[in-house]
Amino acid sequence: MTKILPFKAVRPTRDKVSLVASRSYQSYTQAEREARLDYNPFSFLHIVNPGYKYDKEISGEARYNLVKNRYLEFKEDGIFKQDTKPCFYIYKIVDRDHQVFNGIVAAASVEDYTNNIIKKHEDTIAAREIVFKDYLKTVGFNAEPVLLTYPDNSTIKTIINEKQKERAEFEFTTTYRDTHLLWLIDKEEDINAIAETFNKTKTLYIADGHHRSSSSKLLCEDLKTDNKAHTGEESYNFFMSYLISESELRIHEFNRLVKDLNGLTKEEFLIQLDTMYRIENRGITPYQPSKAHHFSMYLDGEFYSLYLRKTNYQFNTSLDQLDAQLLFKTILEPILGITDLRNDDRIHYLSGKKDIVNLKSKVDSKAYTVGFGMIPATITQMKQIADDGLTMPPKSTYIEPKIRSGVTIYEF
């Protein structure tokens, strides 16, 4: 049983939403950020980067307070308005490749997360959790939902389809040629049907946003302690989520780039690889693996295919079957000496949305010595690993959709 609630979102006005909505701050290059901050006074980036107007880098509590000030200014200026009644929100994305994503923005329960009804498949870093918790506690809002996935459900699909016959509240296309649409679900019968349907859903899975959800748990614990009249229904007992059916989720791989061969020559490296892999030199022809436990490798101007010698590797758990884990346990750690996948600056991750030629260009630039490509993990693998209480290595999945910040905002 999962608890999903409607909420009163703070949203941009219809005429400003295309200007306000932004990608996550980290996804922009410095030049892109500066261009938007220079020429678009309505961008949500002005809120999350409040020091820009002072031409100064500001961090810590001082930055958090300025973020809150910029947010309040957007509300005072009428750029943001809060809905007068709790709603669910249908958010649709049609990307430049014509893939369509339909989901529901709602408030998910911290208690469900704590009780493992909302399951995770990635570890979080305690220091990052605390930093984001402190940020949330100061600013009092969250603008980036956690991406949750649920089994396909005909009731939810019917409600979404029927609502989308109406004119969307928001419809805008970004400079990246993605089209975003938003509808409000404000009728009691629809709200109740959605809430009751999810109440019958045994488990939800976090697809993206592990640190956001864990930080929301810490925030709830802090505010609960501070509130002597705590009831469990306060807004801090929930966190904003974007719920999408499993069939509409898109999982891409993260390919790996490594700066050096850990002191080995090319020949020594290939000989060590031969213990665990059947190796074939593919020359200059790009090779992209198509099966689990097969990898592509680009080294010294040539592509190689690597096929696991299964007699030398034991599959004891669901995690052992994951290619990102397999690559780590057979190559990155024992041969290349990379033990900390989060913090070792010798390794870099490249989204599988960028093709294998992009990996080649990174190695050819001499910034990296070797690159590895793999196939994406599946939703079945992700769920099984979560069900088994295991966690994937960092950057095991690049998951879509990615919705825009500032379109719906959840206040605590």
Side-chain angles (χ1 to χ4, degrees):
M1 295 172 56
T2 58
K3 188 173 185 179
I4 298 297
L5 297 182
F7 67 100
K8 298 177 184 179
V10 175
R11 301 184 288 111
T13 55
R14 189 196 295 266
D15 63 317
K16 299 289 195 307
V17 63
S18 62
L19 298 170
V20 171
S22 73
R23 304 198 325 265
S24 65
Y25 182 82
Q26 294 83 359
S27 67
Y28 292 99
T29 65
Q30 182 176 343
E32 287 176 326
R33 281 197 299 269
E34 291 180 355
R36 283 159 175 77
L37 289 164
D38 281 341
Y39 300 109
N40 179 4
F42 303 108
S43 174
F44 192 74
L45 293 176
H46 282 287
I47 294 176
V48 295
N49 188 24
Y52 189 77
K53 68 181 292 185
Y54 303 113
D55 194 27
K56 182 178 180 181
E57 288 289 332
I58 302 172
S59 60
E61 191 67 24
R63 174 177 171 265
Y64 305 163
N65 283 308
L66 285 178
V67 168
K68 183 177 181 179
N69 291 344
R70 294 293 87 74
Y71 175 66
L72 293 175
E73 287 170 8
F74 269 51
K75 292 181 73 176
E76 291 163 2
D77 292 342
I79 299 167
F80 284 144
K81 294 184 180 298
Q82 187 167 30
D83 289 322
T84 57
K85 63 176 294 187
C87 301
F88 288 122
Y89 303 86
I90 296 173
Y91 196 132
K92 178 179 180 180
I93 303 171
V94 183
D95 73 12
R96 63 186 303 166
D97 299 320
H98 308 294
Q99 292 188 25
V100 179
F101 306 96
N102 289 289
I104 295 176
V105 181
S109 168
V110 169
E111 185 178 10
D112 285 350
Y113 174 79
T114 302
N115 293 335
N116 206 34
I117 293 171
I118 296 175
K119 294 189 176 184
K120 62 181 182 178
H121 64 266
E122 286 186 6
D123 276 332
T124 51
I125 300 172
R128 284 183 60 190
E129 292 177 4
I130 294 169
V131 166
F132 193 56
K133 180 265 293 182
D134 291 341
Y135 168 83
L136 293 175
K137 193 171 184 179
T138 300
V139 303
F141 70 88
N142 192 2
E144 290 190 41
V146 174
L147 182 61
L148 300 178
T149 188
Y150 62 90
D152 288 27
N153 183 281
S154 58
T155 299
I156 300 298
K157 186 174 182 179
T158 297
I159 292 172
I160 289 175
N161 289 342
E162 287 299 311
K163 192 65 182 179
Q164 289 180 346
K165 292 177 181 177
E166 303 174 11
R167 181 194 180 194
E169 176 71 12
F170 292 157
E171 181 175 3
F172 62 95
T173 299
T174 72
T175 53
Y176 294 87
R177 301 182 183 179
D178 299 334
T179 299
H180 298 248
L181 302 97
L182 186 84
W183 292 262
L184 276 62
I185 300 178
D186 54 5
K187 293 181 180 178
E188 287 300 320
E189 58 266 34
D190 290 336
I191 288 174
N192 291 336
I194 290 171
E196 289 170 6
T197 298
F198 279 111
N199 191 250
K200 297 174 185 175
T201 302
K202 183 179 178 182
T203 305
L204 298 175
Y205 294 86
I206 299 174
D208 191 23
H210 286 79
H211 281 91
R212 275 167 275 157
S213 49
S214 58
S215 297
S216 295
K217 176 187 174 183
L218 295 180
L219 176 70
C220 179
E221 291 170 351
D222 269 17
L223 296 180
K224 177 181 177 180
T225 301
D226 296 342
N227 182 9
K228 294 181 180 179
H230 172 82
T231 66
E233 296 301 319
E234 296 87 354
S235 58
Y236 59 74
N237 293 283
F238 302 87
F239 56 92
M240 185 168 65
S241 300
Y242 181 51
L243 296 107
I244 187 168
S245 65
E246 292 174 6
S247 64
E248 292 199 36
L249 200 68
R250 296 291 178 269
I251 303 178
H252 303 275
E253 71 279 14
F254 268 107
N255 295 322
R256 272 64 170 144
L257 292 158
V258 182
K259 289 185 177 180
D260 59 67
L261 297 182
N262 197 28
L264 301 172
T265 65
K266 172 184 172 182
E267 291 73 22
E268 290 169 339
F269 175 60
L270 290 172
I271 289 170
Q272 290 203 31
L273 275 183
D274 194 82
T275 302
M276 295 297 296
Y277 290 91
R278 187 175 150 200
I279 305 170
E280 183 177 343
N281 188 324
R282 303 276 179 154
I284 61 172
T285 304
Y287 170 71
Q288 178 69 51
S290 58
K291 294 182 179 180
H293 316 326
H294 290 187
F295 300 97
S296 64
M297 182 176 73
Y298 185 69
L299 173 66
D300 194 24
E302 295 178 312
F303 285 93
Y304 296 81
S305 60
L306 307 180
Y307 298 165
L308 179 69
R309 300 184 191 275
K310 294 183 181 180
T311 54
N312 292 345
Y313 185 81
Q314 296 296 315
F315 296 103
N316 296 316
T317 69
S318 56
L319 182 60
D320 294 333
Q321 295 280 350
L322 186 72
D323 279 351
Q325 176 75 358
L326 178 62
L327 186 70
F328 172 60
K329 298 305 290 185
T330 60
I331 300 176
L332 298 179
E333 183 180 46
I335 300 177
L336 295 179
I338 295 172
T339 58
D340 187 345
L341 291 172
R342 291 188 185 277
N343 300 308
D344 194 322
D345 62 7
R346 294 171 57 224
I347 189 167
H348 177 75
Y349 302 94
L350 189 66
S351 164
K353 285 204 74 178
K354 298 180 178 180
D355 62 28
I356 203 72
V357 176
N358 190 265
L359 181 144
K360 173 184 182 298
S361 67
K362 296 286 187 182
V363 175
D364 287 344
S365 73
K366 306 302 182 184
Y368 303 94
T369 299
V370 61
F372 300 95
M374 66 188 83
I375 66 169
T378 66
I379 183 67
T380 301
Q381 284 182 305
M382 188 183 81
K383 289 172 61 178
Q384 189 61 59
I385 288 169
D387 288 343
D388 293 343
L390 302 171
T391 53
M392 294 180 176
K395 299 294 185 182
S396 291
T397 56
Y398 178 88
I399 295 180
E400 293 181 309
K402 306 286 188 188
I403 74 175
R404 293 278 161 145
S405 298
V407 177
T408 59
I409 296 172
Y410 183 81
E411 291 189 341
F412 308 114

